Amino acid sequence: MRNARAIMQRELLSLFCSPIGYIVIAGFLFVTGLSVLVSGSFAPGKPATLREVFFWTPWLLTVIVPAISMRTICEEYRNGTIETLMTTPLSDLQMVLGKYLASLVFFIIMLAPTLAYLILMEIYGNPDWGASLSAYLGLLLIGVAFTAFGLFASSLTSNQVVAWMLGSIPLLIFACLAYFIIGHVEGIWRLIFQQVNVIGRFDEFSRGLVTTDGVVFFLAAAALFLFLTVKVVESRRWR
Amino acid sequence: MIEVRNLSKHFGSHRAVDNISFTVNEGEIVGFLGPNGAGKTTTLRILTCYMPATAGSATIAGYDVLTESMKVRAVVGYLPESVPLYPEMRTREYLRFRGKLHGLNKLAREAAIARVIERCWLHEVIDRPIGQLSRGFRQRVGLADALLHNPRVLVLDEPTVGLDPAQIRATRSLIRELAQEHTVILSSHILPEVEATCQRLIIINEGRLVASGTPDELRERITGQASLIAELKAPRRDVVDALQKLTGVTDVSGQMQDGWTRVNIATDQDVREDIAQLAANKNWPLRELRRDIATLEDFFVKIVAGTR
């Protein structure tokens, strides 16, 4: 675990040393701020809730989260530093976990300033704290799952832009497909899409509904992609 | 310390390393020599657990590189050819990070960093971002990293490539110093490089081991089959005929100029004494008699060209 922590610290340092980190944070806060403004969440007479803002956030995260994790592993390959990493007493799993945790911590740092809207609502109104906190739990779980996918994308290539596209495009398509197609299919397909409907699952959280299978869905997705990432990193040794 | 048995590595149909075996003893400093693309880096990468071999096995300090990879990594310090570093980190930050990965606690880490700063003359760049450093300093940071955990074995892949002559000399003397405490294996495609620093050479070409031994042993091997040169004052025909009768002489060729005959004698043993005796018996004045000493460089070029 100490090794994973060392990797995580280095990764965070790199994220905050590069402009990418700040651009991502600024972009995220700008768009969420804009959606607060456009949705008129603070208009007089409206219910004191961030639900309309939260509706758009998962879509935004499909492109933002892979941008956080895009450089983690692919940069090691491009730089050649993977060679020094893989010849120190550090297992592939520790390396992947360290990088994963760094991206996740960065995600939380990026998310944290949006709590300001909630605090403002508390000052000027009476928000539903239960629903809001469960919505934040939902965002966190989306981050947990999406980051693992972004990391997986990053392990496949040594080009950052490609890693970002490999991460965000499938996520976006997947989110769209499950969300928009679900009303048009019947039977077994409907059941399947219901299970993997990321946006729908998040919607439950933003309504204040924390279900076990919702939590398990995101955690299992994260575990799956972390496992695949470790396997990809391992397999690249053999080529 | 290092034992390599029948090691092979194939990339598709290309045999990068083909059935190589050698051993390196504790405290030795061994040069791994070969032209570009000979399989040096691949072999070193297998030894440092970066990639697995296709066939064969290797052990370092008794640990197998495939099955006891973590133990091998703990005793090996590795400087890769391209000296990969993180440009956004400062030198001290980088060394701290590497120290953590080697499991050094804070106290041991700071002590180790102080030691390698001293060893690799990093004082002036210790707080500068690595991305701003010159090639020479980057090389030293890489070397400092390899030395950080005081490894028993140092694996250096082309440690002086890209350095200026002064830096090359400094690095060589540093490597020789290091060999007092560590077993060193270093690769190069430049012969004088390894001749100057190493006790023993291993020459490989196209993935195969073509020769190994101390520089003197290798030189012996060439001069053993090398030619003698003699200059005698006598008619060419007489000289050639007489010399050909000596045992051990395989071929004689000569030319005459101003009454002196200069002969080239191909032989598999040292017959200089016999030639001197012959000259004395026949009363031929002898003004030159020497072995044509080939340099290791010739040998290297010959070996590399011969196997091609």
Side-chain angles (χ1 to χ4, degrees), chain A residues 2-3 9-10 14 76 80 82-84 86-88 90 237-238, chain B residues 45 48-50 52 73 78 84 86 88-89 97-98 100-103:
Chain A
R2 182 160 66 178
N3 280 340
Q9 285 166 347
R10 198 212 72 76
S14 282
E76 302 282 352
I82 192 77
E83 200 170 341
T84 51
M86 285 189 159
T87 51
T88 42
L90 166 80
R237 277 175 195 268
W238 296 85
Chain B
R45 280 179 167 176
T48 53
C49 312
Y50 180 58
R73 297 186 205 186
Y78 177 41
Y86 299 99
E88 71 274 12
M89 292 180 101
F97 164 64
R98 300 291 300 174
K100 279 184 208 164
L101 287 187
H102 279 295

PDB file of all heavy atoms in Angstrom, chain A residues 2-3 9-10 14 76 80 82-84 86-88 90 237-238, chain B residues 45 48-50 52 73 78 84 86 88-89 97-98 100-103:
ATOM      1  N   ARG A   2       2.065   1.135   0.633  1.00  0.00           N
ATOM      2  CA  ARG A   2       2.947   2.289   0.641  1.00  0.00           C
ATOM      3  C   ARG A   2       3.380   2.648  -0.781  1.00  0.00           C
ATOM      4  O   ARG A   2       3.475   3.815  -1.145  1.00  0.00           O
ATOM      5  CB  ARG A   2       4.175   1.994   1.506  1.00  0.00           C
ATOM      6  CG  ARG A   2       5.086   3.194   1.572  1.00  0.00           C
ATOM      7  CD  ARG A   2       6.006   3.142   2.728  1.00  0.00           C
ATOM      8  NE  ARG A   2       6.956   2.041   2.584  1.00  0.00           N
ATOM      9  CZ  ARG A   2       7.918   1.809   3.481  1.00  0.00           C
ATOM     10  NH1 ARG A   2       8.008   2.545   4.551  1.00  0.00           N
ATOM     11  NH2 ARG A   2       8.757   0.816   3.303  1.00  0.00           N
ATOM     12  N   ASN A   3       3.610   1.610  -1.578  1.00  0.00           N
ATOM     13  CA  ASN A   3       3.983   1.848  -2.969  1.00  0.00           C
ATOM     14  C   ASN A   3       2.874   2.557  -3.721  1.00  0.00           C
ATOM     15  O   ASN A   3       3.115   3.501  -4.465  1.00  0.00           O
ATOM     16  CB  ASN A   3       4.292   0.525  -3.660  1.00  0.00           C
ATOM     17  CG  ASN A   3       5.686   0.038  -3.335  1.00  0.00           C
ATOM     18  OD1 ASN A   3       6.531   0.832  -2.908  1.00  0.00           O
ATOM     19  ND2 ASN A   3       5.925  -1.236  -3.503  1.00  0.00           N
ATOM     20  N   GLN A   9       0.836   9.990  -4.820  1.00  0.00           N
ATOM     21  CA  GLN A   9       1.363  11.332  -4.522  1.00  0.00           C
ATOM     22  C   GLN A   9       2.069  11.918  -5.738  1.00  0.00           C
ATOM     23  O   GLN A   9       1.879  13.086  -6.078  1.00  0.00           O
ATOM     24  CB  GLN A   9       2.338  11.261  -3.342  1.00  0.00           C
ATOM     25  CG  GLN A   9       1.626  11.088  -2.009  1.00  0.00           C
ATOM     26  CD  GLN A   9       2.585  10.693  -0.905  1.00  0.00           C
ATOM     27  OE1 GLN A   9       3.724  10.317  -1.168  1.00  0.00           O
ATOM     28  NE2 GLN A   9       2.122  10.776   0.332  1.00  0.00           N
ATOM     29  N   ARG A  10       2.871  11.091  -6.404  1.00  0.00           N
ATOM     30  CA  ARG A  10       3.593  11.594  -7.571  1.00  0.00           C
ATOM     31  C   ARG A  10       2.625  12.006  -8.676  1.00  0.00           C
ATOM     32  O   ARG A  10       2.789  13.015  -9.325  1.00  0.00           O
ATOM     33  CB  ARG A  10       4.542  10.518  -8.106  1.00  0.00           C
ATOM     34  CG  ARG A  10       5.622  11.077  -9.011  1.00  0.00           C
ATOM     35  CD  ARG A  10       6.028  10.112 -10.076  1.00  0.00           C
ATOM     36  NE  ARG A  10       5.011   9.979 -11.085  1.00  0.00           N
ATOM     37  CZ  ARG A  10       4.781  10.880 -12.035  1.00  0.00           C
ATOM     38  NH1 ARG A  10       5.499  11.977 -12.095  1.00  0.00           N
ATOM     39  NH2 ARG A  10       3.824  10.707 -12.917  1.00  0.00           N
ATOM     40  N   SER A  14       2.022  15.641 -10.423  1.00  0.00           N
ATOM     41  CA  SER A  14       2.083  15.884 -11.865  1.00  0.00           C
ATOM     42  C   SER A  14       0.810  16.546 -12.367  1.00  0.00           C
ATOM     43  O   SER A  14       0.857  17.437 -13.214  1.00  0.00           O
ATOM     44  CB  SER A  14       2.267  14.567 -12.619  1.00  0.00           C
ATOM     45  OG  SER A  14       3.591  14.163 -12.524  1.00  0.00           O
ATOM     46  N   GLU A  76       3.393   7.263 -19.006  1.00  0.00           N
ATOM     47  CA  GLU A  76       4.522   6.421 -18.587  1.00  0.00           C
ATOM     48  C   GLU A  76       5.101   5.693 -19.792  1.00  0.00           C
ATOM     49  O   GLU A  76       6.315   5.533 -19.912  1.00  0.00           O
ATOM     50  CB  GLU A  76       4.075   5.382 -17.546  1.00  0.00           C
ATOM     51  CG  GLU A  76       3.459   5.961 -16.293  1.00  0.00           C
ATOM     52  CD  GLU A  76       4.492   6.502 -15.317  1.00  0.00           C
ATOM     53  OE1 GLU A  76       5.695   6.299 -15.536  1.00  0.00           O
ATOM     54  OE2 GLU A  76       4.065   7.143 -14.336  1.00  0.00           O
ATOM     55  N   GLY A  80       8.691   6.571 -21.387  1.00  0.00           N
ATOM     56  CA  GLY A  80       9.629   5.479 -21.128  1.00  0.00           C
ATOM     57  C   GLY A  80       9.810   5.213 -19.647  1.00  0.00           C
ATOM     58  O   GLY A  80      10.523   4.294 -19.266  1.00  0.00           O
ATOM     59  N   ILE A  82       7.914   3.959 -17.699  1.00  0.00           N
ATOM     60  CA  ILE A  82       7.345   2.660 -17.328  1.00  0.00           C
ATOM     61  C   ILE A  82       8.479   1.666 -17.066  1.00  0.00           C
ATOM     62  O   ILE A  82       8.364   0.780 -16.216  1.00  0.00           O
ATOM     63  CB  ILE A  82       6.396   2.162 -18.465  1.00  0.00           C
ATOM     64  CG1 ILE A  82       5.571   0.975 -17.997  1.00  0.00           C
ATOM     65  CG2 ILE A  82       7.155   1.823 -19.728  1.00  0.00           C
ATOM     66  CD1 ILE A  82       4.438   1.344 -17.099  1.00  0.00           C
ATOM     67  N   GLU A  83       9.589   1.852 -17.773  1.00  0.00           N
ATOM     68  CA  GLU A  83      10.717   0.929 -17.611  1.00  0.00           C
ATOM     69  C   GLU A  83      11.319   1.034 -16.211  1.00  0.00           C
ATOM     70  O   GLU A  83      11.659   0.023 -15.606  1.00  0.00           O
ATOM     71  CB  GLU A  83      11.771   1.238 -18.674  1.00  0.00           C
ATOM     72  CG  GLU A  83      12.716   0.089 -18.913  1.00  0.00           C
ATOM     73  CD  GLU A  83      13.608   0.302 -20.121  1.00  0.00           C
ATOM     74  OE1 GLU A  83      13.283   1.135 -20.991  1.00  0.00           O
ATOM     75  OE2 GLU A  83      14.640  -0.379 -20.189  1.00  0.00           O
ATOM     76  N   THR A  84      11.453   2.254 -15.699  1.00  0.00           N
ATOM     77  CA  THR A  84      12.002   2.391 -14.347  1.00  0.00           C
ATOM     78  C   THR A  84      10.977   1.950 -13.299  1.00  0.00           C
ATOM     79  O   THR A  84      11.340   1.411 -12.271  1.00  0.00           O
ATOM     80  CB  THR A  84      12.442   3.843 -14.059  1.00  0.00           C
ATOM     81  OG1 THR A  84      11.376   4.714 -14.397  1.00  0.00           O
ATOM     82  CG2 THR A  84      13.668   4.219 -14.831  1.00  0.00           C
ATOM     83  N   MET A  86       8.650  -0.399 -13.682  1.00  0.00           N
ATOM     84  CA  MET A  86       8.461  -1.848 -13.690  1.00  0.00           C
ATOM     85  C   MET A  86       9.709  -2.605 -13.290  1.00  0.00           C
ATOM     86  O   MET A  86       9.701  -3.824 -13.230  1.00  0.00           O
ATOM     87  CB  MET A  86       8.017  -2.300 -15.070  1.00  0.00           C
ATOM     88  CG  MET A  86       6.588  -1.951 -15.340  1.00  0.00           C
ATOM     89  SD  MET A  86       6.085  -2.744 -16.854  1.00  0.00           S
ATOM     90  CE  MET A  86       4.329  -2.724 -16.642  1.00  0.00           C
ATOM     91  N   THR A  87      10.815  -1.907 -13.058  1.00  0.00           N
ATOM     92  CA  THR A  87      12.013  -2.594 -12.596  1.00  0.00           C
ATOM     93  C   THR A  87      12.308  -2.253 -11.138  1.00  0.00           C
ATOM     94  O   THR A  87      13.367  -2.584 -10.629  1.00  0.00           O
ATOM     95  CB  THR A  87      13.226  -2.251 -13.483  1.00  0.00           C
ATOM     96  OG1 THR A  87      13.317  -0.838 -13.606  1.00  0.00           O
ATOM     97  CG2 THR A  87      13.070  -2.839 -14.863  1.00  0.00           C
ATOM     98  N   THR A  88      11.363  -1.560 -10.488  1.00  0.00           N
ATOM     99  CA  THR A  88      11.483  -1.378  -9.032  1.00  0.00           C
ATOM    100  C   THR A  88      10.518  -2.364  -8.369  1.00  0.00           C
ATOM    101  O   THR A  88       9.594  -2.850  -9.021  1.00  0.00           O
ATOM    102  CB  THR A  88      11.091   0.056  -8.592  1.00  0.00           C
ATOM    103  OG1 THR A  88       9.945   0.443  -9.307  1.00  0.00           O
ATOM    104  CG2 THR A  88      12.195   1.028  -8.819  1.00  0.00           C
ATOM    105  N   LEU A  90       7.694  -2.966  -7.341  1.00  0.00           N
ATOM    106  CA  LEU A  90       6.360  -2.390  -7.373  1.00  0.00           C
ATOM    107  C   LEU A  90       5.520  -3.298  -8.269  1.00  0.00           C
ATOM    108  O   LEU A  90       5.878  -3.517  -9.413  1.00  0.00           O
ATOM    109  CB  LEU A  90       6.440  -0.981  -7.987  1.00  0.00           C
ATOM    110  CG  LEU A  90       5.151  -0.311  -8.434  1.00  0.00           C
ATOM    111  CD1 LEU A  90       4.436   0.289  -7.247  1.00  0.00           C
ATOM    112  CD2 LEU A  90       5.444   0.785  -9.451  1.00  0.00           C
ATOM    113  N   ARG A 237       4.017  -6.258 -21.158  1.00  0.00           N
ATOM    114  CA  ARG A 237       5.362  -6.773 -20.932  1.00  0.00           C
ATOM    115  C   ARG A 237       5.740  -7.841 -21.946  1.00  0.00           C
ATOM    116  O   ARG A 237       6.898  -8.042 -22.256  1.00  0.00           O
ATOM    117  CB  ARG A 237       5.422  -7.468 -19.577  1.00  0.00           C
ATOM    118  CG  ARG A 237       5.635  -6.591 -18.410  1.00  0.00           C
ATOM    119  CD  ARG A 237       5.525  -7.457 -17.188  1.00  0.00           C
ATOM    120  NE  ARG A 237       5.369  -6.667 -15.995  1.00  0.00           N
ATOM    121  CZ  ARG A 237       6.392  -6.262 -15.256  1.00  0.00           C
ATOM    122  NH1 ARG A 237       7.593  -6.604 -15.574  1.00  0.00           N
ATOM    123  NH2 ARG A 237       6.180  -5.515 -14.205  1.00  0.00           N
ATOM    124  N   TRP A 238       4.740  -8.581 -22.372  1.00  0.00           N
ATOM    125  CA  TRP A 238       5.028  -9.754 -23.200  1.00  0.00           C
ATOM    126  C   TRP A 238       5.178  -9.409 -24.665  1.00  0.00           C
ATOM    127  O   TRP A 238       5.449 -10.279 -25.479  1.00  0.00           O
ATOM    128  CB  TRP A 238       3.910 -10.804 -23.022  1.00  0.00           C
ATOM    129  CG  TRP A 238       3.868 -11.319 -21.639  1.00  0.00           C
ATOM    130  CD1 TRP A 238       3.225 -10.756 -20.577  1.00  0.00           C
ATOM    131  CD2 TRP A 238       4.524 -12.477 -21.112  1.00  0.00           C
ATOM    132  NE1 TRP A 238       3.436 -11.492 -19.452  1.00  0.00           N
ATOM    133  CE2 TRP A 238       4.220 -12.561 -19.759  1.00  0.00           C
ATOM    134  CE3 TRP A 238       5.333 -13.466 -21.685  1.00  0.00           C
ATOM    135  CZ2 TRP A 238       4.705 -13.573 -18.945  1.00  0.00           C
ATOM    136  CZ3 TRP A 238       5.801 -14.475 -20.882  1.00  0.00           C
ATOM    137  CH2 TRP A 238       5.492 -14.527 -19.527  1.00  0.00           C
TER     138      TRP A 238
ATOM    139  N   ARG B  45      17.119  -5.906 -20.303  1.00  0.00           N
ATOM    140  CA  ARG B  45      15.725  -5.753 -19.881  1.00  0.00           C
ATOM    141  C   ARG B  45      15.180  -7.045 -19.279  1.00  0.00           C
ATOM    142  O   ARG B  45      14.360  -7.012 -18.363  1.00  0.00           O
ATOM    143  CB  ARG B  45      14.857  -5.328 -21.058  1.00  0.00           C
ATOM    144  CG  ARG B  45      14.963  -3.854 -21.337  1.00  0.00           C
ATOM    145  CD  ARG B  45      14.115  -3.467 -22.524  1.00  0.00           C
ATOM    146  NE  ARG B  45      13.986  -2.024 -22.604  1.00  0.00           N
ATOM    147  CZ  ARG B  45      13.359  -1.400 -23.576  1.00  0.00           C
ATOM    148  NH1 ARG B  45      12.799  -2.090 -24.560  1.00  0.00           N
ATOM    149  NH2 ARG B  45      13.264  -0.082 -23.581  1.00  0.00           N
ATOM    150  N   THR B  48      16.599  -7.283 -15.771  1.00  0.00           N
ATOM    151  CA  THR B  48      16.021  -6.368 -14.789  1.00  0.00           C
ATOM    152  C   THR B  48      14.525  -6.588 -14.620  1.00  0.00           C
ATOM    153  O   THR B  48      13.846  -5.774 -14.014  1.00  0.00           O
ATOM    154  CB  THR B  48      16.252  -4.908 -15.216  1.00  0.00           C
ATOM    155  OG1 THR B  48      15.781  -4.750 -16.559  1.00  0.00           O
ATOM    156  CG2 THR B  48      17.705  -4.544 -15.163  1.00  0.00           C
ATOM    157  N   CYS B  49      14.009  -7.670 -15.168  1.00  0.00           N
ATOM    158  CA  CYS B  49      12.590  -8.048 -15.011  1.00  0.00           C
ATOM    159  C   CYS B  49      11.641  -7.128 -15.756  1.00  0.00           C
ATOM    160  O   CYS B  49      10.455  -7.066 -15.437  1.00  0.00           O
ATOM    161  CB  CYS B  49      12.145  -8.091 -13.552  1.00  0.00           C
ATOM    162  SG  CYS B  49      13.230  -8.974 -12.479  1.00  0.00           S
ATOM    163  N   TYR B  50      12.137  -6.374 -16.735  1.00  0.00           N
ATOM    164  CA  TYR B  50      11.210  -5.522 -17.482  1.00  0.00           C
ATOM    165  C   TYR B  50      10.405  -6.349 -18.472  1.00  0.00           C
ATOM    166  O   TYR B  50       9.236  -6.120 -18.679  1.00  0.00           O
ATOM    167  CB  TYR B  50      11.969  -4.412 -18.208  1.00  0.00           C
ATOM    168  CG  TYR B  50      11.071  -3.487 -18.997  1.00  0.00           C
ATOM    169  CD1 TYR B  50      10.051  -2.796 -18.353  1.00  0.00           C
ATOM    170  CD2 TYR B  50      11.245  -3.306 -20.358  1.00  0.00           C
ATOM    171  CE1 TYR B  50       9.225  -1.954 -19.057  1.00  0.00           C
ATOM    172  CE2 TYR B  50      10.411  -2.454 -21.068  1.00  0.00           C
ATOM    173  CZ  TYR B  50       9.404  -1.788 -20.414  1.00  0.00           C
ATOM    174  OH  TYR B  50       8.577  -0.946 -21.113  1.00  0.00           O
ATOM    175  N   PRO B  52       9.837 -10.606 -19.929  1.00  0.00           N
ATOM    176  CA  PRO B  52      10.189 -12.013 -19.727  1.00  0.00           C
ATOM    177  C   PRO B  52      10.884 -12.590 -20.948  1.00  0.00           C
ATOM    178  O   PRO B  52      10.674 -12.125 -22.065  1.00  0.00           O
ATOM    179  CB  PRO B  52       8.827 -12.678 -19.517  1.00  0.00           C
ATOM    180  CG  PRO B  52       7.855 -11.797 -20.211  1.00  0.00           C
ATOM    181  CD  PRO B  52       8.414 -10.418 -20.281  1.00  0.00           C
ATOM    182  N   ARG B  73      14.371  -7.315  -8.324  1.00  0.00           N
ATOM    183  CA  ARG B  73      14.276  -5.853  -8.477  1.00  0.00           C
ATOM    184  C   ARG B  73      14.863  -5.131  -7.276  1.00  0.00           C
ATOM    185  O   ARG B  73      15.373  -4.023  -7.398  1.00  0.00           O
ATOM    186  CB  ARG B  73      12.816  -5.440  -8.639  1.00  0.00           C
ATOM    187  CG  ARG B  73      12.184  -6.020  -9.887  1.00  0.00           C
ATOM    188  CD  ARG B  73      10.807  -5.450 -10.030  1.00  0.00           C
ATOM    189  NE  ARG B  73       9.919  -6.310 -10.805  1.00  0.00           N
ATOM    190  CZ  ARG B  73       8.692  -5.948 -11.145  1.00  0.00           C
ATOM    191  NH1 ARG B  73       8.220  -4.780 -10.759  1.00  0.00           N
ATOM    192  NH2 ARG B  73       7.933  -6.754 -11.843  1.00  0.00           N
ATOM    193  N   TYR B  78      19.039  -0.122 -11.959  1.00  0.00           N
ATOM    194  CA  TYR B  78      19.015  -0.162 -13.417  1.00  0.00           C
ATOM    195  C   TYR B  78      18.966   1.250 -13.995  1.00  0.00           C
ATOM    196  O   TYR B  78      18.157   2.068 -13.593  1.00  0.00           O
ATOM    197  CB  TYR B  78      17.787  -0.977 -13.848  1.00  0.00           C
ATOM    198  CG  TYR B  78      17.536  -1.071 -15.343  1.00  0.00           C
ATOM    199  CD1 TYR B  78      18.577  -1.255 -16.233  1.00  0.00           C
ATOM    200  CD2 TYR B  78      16.245  -1.006 -15.834  1.00  0.00           C
ATOM    201  CE1 TYR B  78      18.332  -1.355 -17.590  1.00  0.00           C
ATOM    202  CE2 TYR B  78      15.990  -1.116 -17.188  1.00  0.00           C
ATOM    203  CZ  TYR B  78      17.042  -1.293 -18.062  1.00  0.00           C
ATOM    204  OH  TYR B  78      16.794  -1.399 -19.405  1.00  0.00           O
ATOM    205  N   PRO B  84      14.816   7.444 -18.764  1.00  0.00           N
ATOM    206  CA  PRO B  84      13.498   8.047 -18.620  1.00  0.00           C
ATOM    207  C   PRO B  84      13.317   8.690 -17.247  1.00  0.00           C
ATOM    208  O   PRO B  84      13.615   8.084 -16.229  1.00  0.00           O
ATOM    209  CB  PRO B  84      12.538   6.862 -18.784  1.00  0.00           C
ATOM    210  CG  PRO B  84      13.343   5.663 -18.441  1.00  0.00           C
ATOM    211  CD  PRO B  84      14.765   5.973 -18.754  1.00  0.00           C
ATOM    212  N   TYR B  86      10.816  11.994 -15.078  1.00  0.00           N
ATOM    213  CA  TYR B  86       9.613  12.822 -15.158  1.00  0.00           C
ATOM    214  C   TYR B  86      10.034  14.286 -15.264  1.00  0.00           C
ATOM    215  O   TYR B  86      10.562  14.840 -14.306  1.00  0.00           O
ATOM    216  CB  TYR B  86       8.750  12.626 -13.915  1.00  0.00           C
ATOM    217  CG  TYR B  86       8.282  11.215 -13.737  1.00  0.00           C
ATOM    218  CD1 TYR B  86       8.928  10.354 -12.866  1.00  0.00           C
ATOM    219  CD2 TYR B  86       7.191  10.737 -14.449  1.00  0.00           C
ATOM    220  CE1 TYR B  86       8.498   9.049 -12.706  1.00  0.00           C
ATOM    221  CE2 TYR B  86       6.763   9.435 -14.298  1.00  0.00           C
ATOM    222  CZ  TYR B  86       7.418   8.597 -13.421  1.00  0.00           C
ATOM    223  OH  TYR B  86       7.006   7.306 -13.275  1.00  0.00           O
ATOM    224  N   GLU B  88       8.501  17.033 -15.140  1.00  0.00           N
ATOM    225  CA  GLU B  88       7.867  18.049 -14.299  1.00  0.00           C
ATOM    226  C   GLU B  88       8.330  17.992 -12.845  1.00  0.00           C
ATOM    227  O   GLU B  88       8.025  18.876 -12.060  1.00  0.00           O
ATOM    228  CB  GLU B  88       6.337  17.918 -14.386  1.00  0.00           C
ATOM    229  CG  GLU B  88       5.759  16.699 -13.696  1.00  0.00           C
ATOM    230  CD  GLU B  88       5.741  15.453 -14.592  1.00  0.00           C
ATOM    231  OE1 GLU B  88       6.384  15.485 -15.656  1.00  0.00           O
ATOM    232  OE2 GLU B  88       5.090  14.469 -14.212  1.00  0.00           O
ATOM    233  N   MET B  89       9.074  16.942 -12.486  1.00  0.00           N
ATOM    234  CA  MET B  89       9.505  16.815 -11.091  1.00  0.00           C
ATOM    235  C   MET B  89      10.874  17.449 -10.887  1.00  0.00           C
ATOM    236  O   MET B  89      11.693  17.490 -11.797  1.00  0.00           O
ATOM    237  CB  MET B  89       9.595  15.340 -10.696  1.00  0.00           C
ATOM    238  CG  MET B  89       8.271  14.653 -10.626  1.00  0.00           C
ATOM    239  SD  MET B  89       8.490  12.928 -10.146  1.00  0.00           S
ATOM    240  CE  MET B  89       8.063  13.006  -8.430  1.00  0.00           C
ATOM    241  N   PHE B  97      10.696  10.116  -4.420  1.00  0.00           N
ATOM    242  CA  PHE B  97       9.680   9.198  -4.954  1.00  0.00           C
ATOM    243  C   PHE B  97      10.287   7.822  -5.186  1.00  0.00           C
ATOM    244  O   PHE B  97       9.725   6.792  -4.781  1.00  0.00           O
ATOM    245  CB  PHE B  97       9.124   9.801  -6.249  1.00  0.00           C
ATOM    246  CG  PHE B  97       8.357   8.836  -7.116  1.00  0.00           C
ATOM    247  CD1 PHE B  97       7.175   8.265  -6.655  1.00  0.00           C
ATOM    248  CD2 PHE B  97       8.808   8.515  -8.388  1.00  0.00           C
ATOM    249  CE1 PHE B  97       6.467   7.388  -7.453  1.00  0.00           C
ATOM    250  CE2 PHE B  97       8.099   7.638  -9.187  1.00  0.00           C
ATOM    251  CZ  PHE B  97       6.930   7.073  -8.719  1.00  0.00           C
ATOM    252  N   ARG B  98      11.445   7.790  -5.809  1.00  0.00           N
ATOM    253  CA  ARG B  98      12.092   6.511  -6.091  1.00  0.00           C
ATOM    254  C   ARG B  98      12.482   5.796  -4.802  1.00  0.00           C
ATOM    255  O   ARG B  98      12.414   4.578  -4.709  1.00  0.00           O
ATOM    256  CB  ARG B  98      13.320   6.727  -6.975  1.00  0.00           C
ATOM    257  CG  ARG B  98      13.008   7.358  -8.314  1.00  0.00           C
ATOM    258  CD  ARG B  98      12.259   6.464  -9.226  1.00  0.00           C
ATOM    259  NE  ARG B  98      12.997   5.247  -9.508  1.00  0.00           N
ATOM    260  CZ  ARG B  98      12.513   4.231 -10.198  1.00  0.00           C
ATOM    261  NH1 ARG B  98      11.292   4.273 -10.668  1.00  0.00           N
ATOM    262  NH2 ARG B  98      13.242   3.168 -10.402  1.00  0.00           N
ATOM    263  N   LYS B 100      10.932   5.986  -1.978  1.00  0.00           N
ATOM    264  CA  LYS B 100       9.713   5.403  -1.408  1.00  0.00           C
ATOM    265  C   LYS B 100       9.399   4.075  -2.090  1.00  0.00           C
ATOM    266  O   LYS B 100       9.042   3.104  -1.443  1.00  0.00           O
ATOM    267  CB  LYS B 100       8.534   6.343  -1.606  1.00  0.00           C
ATOM    268  CG  LYS B 100       8.464   7.469  -0.592  1.00  0.00           C
ATOM    269  CD  LYS B 100       7.195   8.281  -0.831  1.00  0.00           C
ATOM    270  CE  LYS B 100       7.392   9.703  -0.379  1.00  0.00           C
ATOM    271  NZ  LYS B 100       6.371  10.604  -0.924  1.00  0.00           N
ATOM    272  N   LEU B 101       9.530   4.063  -3.416  1.00  0.00           N
ATOM    273  CA  LEU B 101       9.224   2.826  -4.138  1.00  0.00           C
ATOM    274  C   LEU B 101      10.162   1.697  -3.726  1.00  0.00           C
ATOM    275  O   LEU B 101       9.796   0.531  -3.759  1.00  0.00           O
ATOM    276  CB  LEU B 101       9.332   3.035  -5.651  1.00  0.00           C
ATOM    277  CG  LEU B 101       8.233   3.851  -6.308  1.00  0.00           C
ATOM    278  CD1 LEU B 101       8.395   3.825  -7.809  1.00  0.00           C
ATOM    279  CD2 LEU B 101       6.861   3.340  -5.932  1.00  0.00           C
ATOM    280  N   HIS B 102      11.367   2.061  -3.313  1.00  0.00           N
ATOM    281  CA  HIS B 102      12.304   1.028  -2.879  1.00  0.00           C
ATOM    282  C   HIS B 102      12.103   0.675  -1.410  1.00  0.00           C
ATOM    283  O   HIS B 102      12.890  -0.077  -0.845  1.00  0.00           O
ATOM    284  CB  HIS B 102      13.744   1.470  -3.142  1.00  0.00           C
ATOM    285  CG  HIS B 102      14.165   1.251  -4.555  1.00  0.00           C
ATOM    286  ND1 HIS B 102      14.269   0.001  -5.104  1.00  0.00           N
ATOM    287  CD2 HIS B 102      14.462   2.120  -5.549  1.00  0.00           C
ATOM    288  CE1 HIS B 102      14.632   0.114  -6.361  1.00  0.00           C
ATOM    289  NE2 HIS B 102      14.748   1.382  -6.660  1.00  0.00           N
ATOM    290  N   GLY B 103      11.064   1.263  -0.809  1.00  0.00           N
ATOM    291  CA  GLY B 103      10.735   0.893   0.558  1.00  0.00           C
ATOM    292  C   GLY B 103      11.655   1.487   1.606  1.00  0.00           C
ATOM    293  O   GLY B 103      11.755   0.975   2.716  1.00  0.00           O
TER     294      GLY B 103
END
